[in-house]
């Protein structure tokens, strides 16, 4: 894809020279001769690189540089100056310029700086793209994920973590100790354990009081986060809500064992339902079946599920 370059200079001859040099290299080039004209072009198009004269008539190119940095952070700006000195260069860099080149401008200098600036932008754009993809993945995960630094200050937290505990938005910059009482100690302890040992914690079971004062069963894991040099930078905490699964397992286990009858096949489950329904009815029940099939167990289940459970079974 052809890079789009904007040249901003109030000298017509210099604009023409830069445009010619850059177009000969295959770049798409637009030009502006003033501060207002440049502002208008910036509203209309997206540029990959800007060459900007430090003096634009009554205006300063540094003013326009500030606008570009605020609105197009990834677009490198190369300042053009007729009186290069250390103070000018420092001022330009301080305001976010990628580089600066002095007048008169030599073709090889212009093309070398343009190539370096565009390579820099490609790297920054790629990094931003990766970051955007990672953030999308981060927020799409159903488990809560939190990254904390060595001081247990939250650097990042996904939406699942916020939703799981009904937390306010904007957790970044908050310490774990500032989280609600029901979760802060549990998480601080397991994170502290990883920081102390530099070892991961896998699926530690925690029971806490969640939103609406309901008991929540969590599987918590932590992993040390290492920097480029291998030094610990913090800890990644993941939280899996096991509450619903735990409830289903308890329900299933309870259903598999009905009084003293054990089974989970469809006929047995149908019999459990029939016993539950009949136990509430004041009626005579005929239990039929071959010897050894457990008729007495059904009779006991009916009795101990009925209103007469406190009386003798004969």
């Amino acid at each position: 894809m052809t890079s789009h370059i904007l040249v901003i200079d109030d000298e017509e001859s210099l604009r023409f020279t830069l445009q010619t040099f850059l177009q000969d290299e295959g770049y798409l080039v637009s030009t502006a001769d003033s501060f207002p004209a440049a502002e208008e072009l910036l509203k209309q198009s997206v540029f990959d690189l800007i060459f900007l004269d430090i003096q634009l008539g009554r205006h300063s190119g540094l003013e326009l540089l500030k606008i570009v940095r605020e609105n197009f952070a990834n677009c490198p700006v190369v300042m053009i100056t007729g009186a290069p000195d250390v103070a000018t260069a420092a001022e330009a860099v301080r305001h976010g310029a990628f580089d600066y080149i002095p007048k008169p401008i030599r073709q090889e200098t212009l093309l070398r700086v343009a190539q370096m600036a565009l390579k820099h932008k490609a790297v920054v754009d790629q990094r931003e793209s990766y970051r955007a993809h990672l953030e999308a993945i981060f927020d799409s995960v159903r488990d809560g994920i939190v990254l904390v630094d060595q001081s247990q200050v939250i650097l990042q937290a996904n939406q699942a973590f916020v939703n799981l505990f009904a937390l306010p938005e904007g957790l970044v910059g908050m310490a774990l100790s500032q989280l609600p009482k029901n979760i802060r100690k549990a998480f601080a302890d397991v994170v502290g354990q990883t920081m102390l040992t530099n070892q991961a914690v896998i699926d530690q079971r925690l029971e806490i009081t969640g939103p609406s004062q309901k008991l929540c069963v969590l599987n918590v894991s932590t992993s040390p986060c290492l920097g480029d040099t291998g030094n610990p930078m913090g800890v990644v905490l993941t939280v899996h809500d096991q509450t619903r699964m735990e409830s289903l397992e308890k329900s299933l286990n309870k259903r598999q064992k009905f009084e003293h009858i054990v089974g989970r096949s469809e006929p047995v489950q149908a019999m459990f339902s029939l016993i539950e329904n009949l136990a509430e009815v004041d009626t005579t029940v005929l239990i039929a079946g071959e010897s050894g099939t457990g008729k007495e167990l059904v009779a006991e289940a009916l009795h101990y599920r009925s209103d007469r459970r406190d009386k003798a079974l004969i």
Side-chain angles (χ1 to χ4, degrees):
M1 184 176 178
T2 304
S3 298
H4 194 180
I5 299 175
L6 174 61
V7 176
I8 308 169
D9 199 295
D10 55 1
E11 293 182 35
E12 183 178 0
S13 59
L14 186 58
R15 289 199 310 276
F16 177 77
T17 300
L18 297 187
Q19 184 176 24
T20 301
F21 287 164
L22 293 167
Q23 284 180 340
D24 286 348
E25 289 297 308
Y27 298 119
L28 175 64
V29 182
S30 297
T31 63
D33 60 0
S34 65
F35 192 110
E39 281 191 304
E40 192 60 34
L41 279 174
L42 288 169
K43 292 177 184 176
Q44 297 173 3
S45 303
V46 176
F47 297 96
D48 300 300
L49 172 61
I50 297 173
F51 285 96
L52 172 59
D53 195 347
I54 207 164
Q55 190 61 46
L56 290 172
R58 295 180 295 105
H59 296 90
S60 168
L62 294 178
E63 295 177 40
L64 190 57
L65 173 60
K66 291 177 186 177
I67 294 174
V68 173
R69 303 305 330 136
E70 289 172 2
N71 297 283
F72 310 98
N74 289 355
C75 180
V77 179
V78 177
M79 304 302 293
I80 302 169
T81 175
D85 55 40
V86 174
T88 303
E91 183 76 358
V93 172
R94 187 169 67 84
H95 285 92
F98 174 78
D99 202 349
Y100 80 102
I101 53 178
K103 298 178 183 179
I105 296 175
R106 301 176 61 181
Q107 183 177 12
E108 58 268 26
T109 302
L110 175 73
L111 297 179
R112 176 178 54 80
V113 173
Q115 189 176 38
M116 288 174 55
L118 290 170
K119 282 184 178 179
H120 172 77
K121 183 179 186 299
V123 171
V124 172
D125 286 348
Q126 188 177 48
R127 186 186 306 149
E128 287 296 317
S129 176
Y130 285 152
R131 181 179 179 83
H133 290 158
L134 286 174
E135 286 183 352
I137 294 169
F138 191 67
D139 279 331
S140 69
V141 175
R142 293 186 179 182
D143 289 349
I145 307 176
V146 184
L147 173 62
V148 300
D149 64 14
Q150 289 293 88
S151 301
Q152 296 198 5
V153 172
I154 296 173
L155 301 177
Q156 202 165 0
N158 69 347
Q159 195 61 42
F161 184 80
V162 173
N163 295 342
L164 186 58
F165 304 107
L167 298 171
E169 300 289 341
L171 294 179
V172 174
M174 181 185 295
L176 287 183
S177 59
Q178 294 175 285
L179 292 175
K181 186 187 297 185
N182 58 327
I183 60 176
R184 65 187 176 207
K185 187 179 186 306
F187 292 160
D189 286 350
V190 71
V191 167
Q193 180 182 339
T194 296
M195 287 182 174
L196 185 64
T197 63
N198 206 30
Q199 299 292 321
V201 173
I202 307 297
D203 289 340
Q204 180 169 316
R205 188 177 186 276
L206 294 177
E207 291 187 2
I208 66 165
T209 303
S212 304
Q213 300 301 306
K214 291 183 178 179
L215 180 67
C216 290
V217 181
L218 309 175
N219 275 354
V220 177
S221 299
T222 58
S223 179
C225 181
L226 305 179
D228 295 336
T229 59
N231 295 324
M233 295 177 57
V235 173
V236 177
L237 169 74
T238 59
V239 182
H240 178 68
D241 186 4
Q242 193 74 10
T243 309
R244 184 171 179 273
M245 185 62 69
E246 184 107 344
S247 175
L248 288 173
E249 286 179 355
K250 285 181 179 178
S251 175
L252 181 60
N253 288 336
K254 182 179 178 181
R255 195 62 172 165
Q256 286 177 359
K257 186 174 181 181
F258 190 93
E259 297 299 336
H260 295 294
I261 308 171
V262 178
R264 59 181 179 182
S265 65
E266 286 189 17
V268 172
Q269 294 296 313
M271 182 180 66
F272 288 166
S273 296
L274 188 59
I275 293 171
E276 284 181 327
N277 294 333
L278 287 172
E280 299 176 1
V281 181
D282 187 10
T283 185
T284 300
V285 177
L286 173 64
I287 304 170
E290 296 179 7
S291 178
T293 54
K295 295 186 291 298
E296 73 285 358
L297 295 178
V298 174
E300 287 180 0
L302 280 168
H303 174 74
Y304 289 114
R305 289 270 168 164
S306 74
D307 293 337
R308 293 188 288 270
R309 66 178 66 87
D310 295 330
K311 306 204 185 281
L313 171 62
I314 300 174

